[in-house]
């Protein structure tokens, strides 16, 4: 479906509430584009009946004199407003900033934030030592490590070269180890001892032994945290988000040595040849398959974008310690932007729920962009809104569902499942919610419908803000290449992570906004395409090693 149609259909699919404001703007539909009513007469009538039948808060406010036996559990309470009023407010706050002019403005504001960080920052806009993208012809078998937010994966990866109608890369064998809180809270070197133990377990697999024989495994690491590279194979450990404590007592130490020391203790036949951030790994892996790739987006628990930029886009202080040979050869450099650290109040309009999330965060203001769009936070934003709806507008008849008062208790996977529910009367969604967050009486259709609406609004805003982020980096790259939007040509973006890969309609919505933004900037239509890069962290870790060998 053409992207502008998708945006239109999505906006209208979600819209269920006739908004009195829209009537005033009937002559100019653009003024309330986000409020276009979707229901025809019969649908609105049905919805109204449904609301009357199923929303105790409404019954209470509309018909306060119902006989007591008909009163529902909330009838003794009064609420500040109806759910419909609250939903209208949520919709206004979350959707109003999404028109192209405002997104372009945000993209510009982000761009303004880049300049000082490209000049000097040891936290973001981090250059790597990888300056060339893969040719796609590289071959070899490697041990790839991927330390993500919730799993540590060790895989043997085979690269066979780009070829038509055949797989250019293959995971021969992969072991995945859960990173739960007990691992996440391991302090300093204990975390790296744990990694070495898991590498040991993985390579003890008889199948792996057969592959490798007695030789040493060349290893590549995809690290889903910032790292200050000191060579292709080493880098200083920087502050880790996602609740990890591995930096306690090890901050600033060499990541390669932290991993290799316990491996040597165990006499493991491994050698760490390359370290890359997971976003850079995604770019390398996608570029191995598609030479038009210049960006990579990671959007799962965390968020980041890697960009292949001309070296001149960063000031020379950023290459302190780089060998002269590297400086002479490199025209471009793979940059880990740590885009999650940009944004915040100067860029994005913040709602009260964004403020609440930030205020209660262990590291407020550290990754403000991530707080608005990543998988760790989408569920939390919805939870904050839903809790407010319970307290102030009688959602669930005013009863707080089990655990819903606890921060981060509403999983993004749960809201995605609610959005995907196609069962009649949302029976599956109702059952799912009742299992996860039991109530004394199961939620009604309208309760779950409300959560779905809120989830769609929160996720749509995230997809649009991501588009603004990509657009601002695309502008940066275009200008630093000495191009204009009109001459920038086509570009592919490798995308990886549960949200961008799996959240219903997320990538499609982001693509639609991106199309609008690039067109408004004067680029040729469809100049940027978001492409899924499956298992790209693991593949990219291997590609990074093989690029060194060519
Ligand atoms: C976090 C990390 C970043 C990583 C991203 C995706 O934002 O800071 O390094 O790339 O998550 O995993």
């Amino acid at each position: 479906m053409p992207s502008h149609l998708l945006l239109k259909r999505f906006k209208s699919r979600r819209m269920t509430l006739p908004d009195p404001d829209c009537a005033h703007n009937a002559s100019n539909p653009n003024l309330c584009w986000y409020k276009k009513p979707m229901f025809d007469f019969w649908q609105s009538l049905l919805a109204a009946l449904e609301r009357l039948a199923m929303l105790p808060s409404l019954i209470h406010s509309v018909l306060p004199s119902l006989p007591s036996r008909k009163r529902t559990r909330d009838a003794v309470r009064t609420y500040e407003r109806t759910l419909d009023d609250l939903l209208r407010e949520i919709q206004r706050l979350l959707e109003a900033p999404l028109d192209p002019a405002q997104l372009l403005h945000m993209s510009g504001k982000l761009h303004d934030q880049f300049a000082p960080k490209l000049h000097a920052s040891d936290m973001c806009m981090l250059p790597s030592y990888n300056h060339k993208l893969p040719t796609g012809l590289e071959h070899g078998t490697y041990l790839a490590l991927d330390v993500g937010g919730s799993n540590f994966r060790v895989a043997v990866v085979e690269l066979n070269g780009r070829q038509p109608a055949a797989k250019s890369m293959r995971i021969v064998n992969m072991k995945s180890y859960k990173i739960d809180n007990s691992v996440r809270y391991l302090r300093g070197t204990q975390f790296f001892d744990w990694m070495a133990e898991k590498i040991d377990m993985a390579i003890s697999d008889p199948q792996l032994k057969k592959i490798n024989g007695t030789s040493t495994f060349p290893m590549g690491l995809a690290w889903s945290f910032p790292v200050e590279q000191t060579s292709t194979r080493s880098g200083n450990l920087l502050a880790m988000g996602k609740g990890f404590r591995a930096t306690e007592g090890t901050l600033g130490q060499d990541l390669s040595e932290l991993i290799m020391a316990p491996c040597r203790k165990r006499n493991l036949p491994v050698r760490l040849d390359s370290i890359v951030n997971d976003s850079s790994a995604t770019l390398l892996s996608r570029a191995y398959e598609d030479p038009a790739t210049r960006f990579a987006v990671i959007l799962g628990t965390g968020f980041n974008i890697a960009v292949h930029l001309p070296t001149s886009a960063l000031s020379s202080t950023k290459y302190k310690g780089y060998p002269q040979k590297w400086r002479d050869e490199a025209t471009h450099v793979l940059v880990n932007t740590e885009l999650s650290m940009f944004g915040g109040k100067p860029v994005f309009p913040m709602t009260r729920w964004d403020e609440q999330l930030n205020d209660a965060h262990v590291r407020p203001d550290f990754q403000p962009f991530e707080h608005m769009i990543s998988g760790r936070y989408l569920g939390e934003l919805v939870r904050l809104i839903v809790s407010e709806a319970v307290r102030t507008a009688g959602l669930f008849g005013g009863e707080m569902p089990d655990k819903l008062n606890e921060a981060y208790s509403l999983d993004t996977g749960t809201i995605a499942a609610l959005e995907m529910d196609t069962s009649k009367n949302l029976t599956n969604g109702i059952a799912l919610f009742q299992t996860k967050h039991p109530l004394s009486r199961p939620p009604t259709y309208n309760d779950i419908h409300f959560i779905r609406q809120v989830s769609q609004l929160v996720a749509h805003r995230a997809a649009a803000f991501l588009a603004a982020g990509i657009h601002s980096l695309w502008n940066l790259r275009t200008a630093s290449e000495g191009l204009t939007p009109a001459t920038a040509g086509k570009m592919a973006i490798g995308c990886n992570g549960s949200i961008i890969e799996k959240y219903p309609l997320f990538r499609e919505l982001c693509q639609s906004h991106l199309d609008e933004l690039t067109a408004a900037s004067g680029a040729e239509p469809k100049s940027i395409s978001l492409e899924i890069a499956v298992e790209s962290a693991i593949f990219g870790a291997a590609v990074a090693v093989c690029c060194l060998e060519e």
Side-chain angles (χ1 to χ4, degrees):
M1 186 190 307
S3 56
H4 67 282
L5 285 184
L6 177 90
L7 259 189
K8 233 178 169 170
R9 180 175 294 188
F10 183 77
K11 283 168 194 161
S12 60
R13 172 170 75 90
R14 197 179 43 239
M15 185 55 228
T16 58
L17 298 172
D19 187 328
D21 294 354
C22 277
H24 308 306
N25 296 326
S27 57
N28 183 357
N30 286 336
L31 276 183
C32 58
W33 59 269
Y34 61 95
K35 301 173 181 174
K36 277 185 201 126
M38 112 180 184
F39 287 157
D40 60 15
F41 171 73
W42 289 109
Q43 278 170 312
S44 346
L45 189 65
L46 266 178
L49 285 172
E50 210 167 54
R51 279 204 297 279
L52 274 180
M54 302 180 85
L55 267 185
S57 64
L58 258 187
I59 292 173
H60 178 58
S61 54
V62 176
L63 302 169
S65 59
L66 277 177
S68 61
R69 69 187 165 80
K70 284 205 175 159
R71 285 196 185 167
T72 46
R73 59 195 146 163
D74 61 330
V76 285
R77 292 179 57 184
T78 53
Y79 296 105
E80 291 164 25
R81 57 202 155 166
T82 64
L83 268 182
D84 288 357
D85 284 342
L86 176 59
L87 188 55
R88 259 192 288 274
E89 190 205 357
I90 299 166
Q91 188 163 6
R92 180 173 51 77
L93 291 173
L94 296 178
E95 273 196 338
L98 308 192
D99 72 84
Q102 298 209 50
L103 289 175
L104 278 177
H105 183 70
M106 293 173 212
S107 161
K109 290 266 181 194
L110 275 170
H111 200 270
D112 295 344
Q113 291 186 336
F114 296 157
K117 306 294 180 192
L118 288 164
H119 179 66
S121 164
D122 49 11
M123 295 298 287
C124 43
M125 294 296 179
L126 303 168
S128 63
Y129 276 70
N130 305 70
H131 58 94
K132 281 195 203 129
L133 293 178
T135 60
L137 303 173
E138 299 84 352
H139 279 74
T141 302
Y142 306 94
L143 196 64
L145 312 180
D146 169 26
V147 180
S150 5
N151 290 295
F152 173 40
R153 301 184 310 158
V154 183
V156 174
V157 171
E158 200 178 84
L159 301 173
N160 300 313
R162 196 184 301 141
Q163 42 194 320
K167 284 221 155 59
S168 53
M169 35 196 177
R170 187 169 79 94
I171 294 176
V172 181
N173 182 301
M174 179 154 76
K175 301 270 184 275
S176 183
Y177 305 99
K178 184 113 204 91
I179 299 184
D180 56 18
N181 278 345
S182 68
V183 179
R184 211 167 279 129
Y185 296 162
L186 288 174
R187 286 161 203 269
T189 50
Q190 286 175 2
F191 178 76
F192 300 99
D193 291 342
W194 177 85
M195 275 182 70
E197 181 196 319
K198 298 303 167 200
I199 298 172
D200 195 353
M201 278 165 74
I203 60 176
S204 307
D205 182 310
Q207 200 197 341
L208 283 203
K209 284 212 155 125
K210 220 160 73 202
I211 296 169
N212 200 45
T214 52
S215 48
T216 302
F217 259 124
M219 260 186 339
L221 165 70
W223 183 246
S224 60
F225 307 92
V227 55
E228 182 195 5
Q229 304 262 184
T230 47
S231 77
T232 44
R233 67 179 69 239
S234 60
N236 298 329
L237 194 59
L238 297 178
M240 292 165 81
K242 302 176 187 170
F244 281 72
R245 297 197 180 147
T247 50
E248 288 183 19
T250 53
L251 198 65
Q253 291 184 23
D254 179 21
L255 178 57
S256 169
E257 199 39 39
L258 284 164
I259 295 169
M260 281 309 295
C263 287
R264 278 195 298 268
K265 242 195 225 158
R266 289 173 175 268
N267 284 321
L268 303 185
V270 295
R271 186 184 69 228
L272 190 54
D273 279 347
S274 159
I275 295 177
V276 280
N277 176 261
D278 59 345
S279 60
S280 305
T282 295
L283 203 161
L284 290 171
S285 122
R286 186 69 204 159
Y288 188 78
E289 298 194 294
D290 176 358
T293 311
R294 291 293 177 275
F295 281 26
V297 171
I298 299 267
L299 188 61
T301 315
F303 162 54
N304 201 358
I305 299 189
V307 197
H308 195 236
L309 286 176
T311 43
S312 57
L314 288 85
S315 73
S316 55
T317 49
K318 285 273 194 170
Y319 305 109
K320 215 172 102 217
Y322 279 54
Q324 194 55 45
K325 185 167 176 292
W326 189 96
R327 289 166 186 255
D328 293 343
E329 274 177 17
T331 60
H332 286 73
V333 60
L334 192 47
V335 178
N336 166 15
T337 65
E338 290 291 334
L339 200 68
S340 63
M341 296 181 193
F342 292 83
K345 262 194 205 141
V347 175
F348 298 117
M350 308 275 278
T351 64
R352 56 181 178 279
W353 309 292
D354 297 308
E355 305 274 6
Q356 286 163 18
L357 188 148
N358 188 55
D359 291 348
H361 199 279
V362 278
R363 299 191 74 178
D365 306 314
F366 179 54
Q367 293 177 304
F369 204 159
E370 190 162 292
H371 291 180
M372 299 183 116
I373 73 168
S374 91
R376 179 154 166 73
Y377 302 108
L378 294 181
E380 177 61 1
L381 285 169
V382 173
R383 187 194 70 83
L384 288 165
I385 300 174
V386 165
S387 323
E388 183 181 313
V390 175
R391 285 193 312 272
T392 67
L395 182 70
F396 304 121
E399 178 185 348
M400 189 62 77
D402 191 37
K403 295 200 295 281
L404 214 74
N405 253 337
E406 289 165 26
Y408 297 96
S409 58
L410 181 59
D411 203 49
T412 301
T414 305
I415 59 168
L418 293 183
E419 277 204 45
M420 279 188 273
D421 183 11
T422 52
S423 63
K424 199 162 170 245
N425 300 325
L426 299 179
T427 41
N428 291 347
I430 291 172
L432 172 74
F433 194 84
Q434 178 67 3
T435 316
K436 299 256 174 188
H437 300 278
L439 284 149
S440 61
R441 262 185 303 162
T444 63
Y445 168 87
N446 273 19
D447 292 331
I448 296 302
H449 187 56
F450 176 86
I451 303 183
R452 260 162 71 113
Q453 301 267 76
V454 172
S455 306
Q456 286 174 355
L457 289 163
V458 168
H460 183 189
R461 183 185 72 157
F465 285 1
L466 173 60
I470 294 172
H471 179 264
S472 63
L473 282 172
W474 169 77
N475 265 337
L476 169 73
R477 172 182 178 258
T478 305
S480 22
E481 290 283 12
L483 300 167
T484 64
T487 58
K490 295 209 186 271
M491 183 184 82
I493 301 188
C495 298
N496 184 267
S498 54
I499 299 300
I500 194 129
E501 286 184 59
K502 297 190 192 135
Y503 198 97
L505 285 181
F506 196 98
R507 183 169 61 109
E508 292 82 349
L509 285 168
C510 182
Q511 179 73 63
S512 305
H513 283 288
L514 208 45
D515 292 347
E516 278 183 350
L517 295 178
T518 46
S521 305
E524 61 175 294
K526 309 263 173 227
S527 42
I528 303 180
S529 62
L530 299 172
E531 309 287 346
I532 296 292
V534 180
E535 295 293 10
S536 55
I538 238 16
F539 282 129
V543 172
V545 183
C546 80
C547 283
L548 305 174
E549 293 177 354
E550 293 296 305

